């Protein structure tokens, strides 16, 4: 999904204060630019991104987790 469309979805979530969960399992495989599409966690303070290394990088059984640092 391109950044403009994702911003529209974020605006809808913001209008009602909803959390927005976005499965970004294929992030990093875009054929244009750097290959990385916009992330909902970067665009919205209540945005939650999930992803996987197994599909994007062909690394099955490789798991990781993390939370963005919002302290700055």
């Amino acid at each position: 999904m391109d950044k403009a469309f994702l911003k529209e979805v974020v605006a809808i979530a913001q209008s009602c204060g909803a959390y927005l969960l976005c499965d970004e399992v294929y992030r990093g495989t875009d054929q244009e630019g750097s290959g990385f599409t916009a992330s909902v966690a970067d665009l919205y303070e209540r945005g939650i991104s999930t992803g996987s290394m197994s599909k994007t990088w062909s690394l099955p059984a490789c798991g990781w987790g993390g939370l963005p640092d919002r302290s700055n």
Side-chain angles (χ1 to χ4, degrees):
M1 142 180 5
D2 67 14
K3 190 173 184 176
F5 183 74
L6 185 56
K7 283 184 172 184
E8 290 180 39
V9 175
V10 165
I12 294 168
Q14 284 176 322
S15 71
C16 59
Y19 284 89
L20 182 58
L21 174 63
C22 187
D23 182 1
E24 299 177 353
V25 70
Y26 290 107
R27 187 169 185 254
T29 61
D30 195 353
Q31 297 296 310
E32 297 178 13
S34 68
F36 286 93
T37 54
S39 175
V40 71
D42 293 332
L43 298 176
Y44 182 39
E45 63 277 358
R46 289 187 174 198
I48 302 166
S49 299
T50 61
S52 168
M53 293 179 70
S54 63
K55 289 184 181 176
T56 307
W57 308 108
S58 297
L59 297 169
C62 183
W64 62 274
L67 296 171
D69 180 12
R70 302 277 186 199
S71 64
N72 50 9

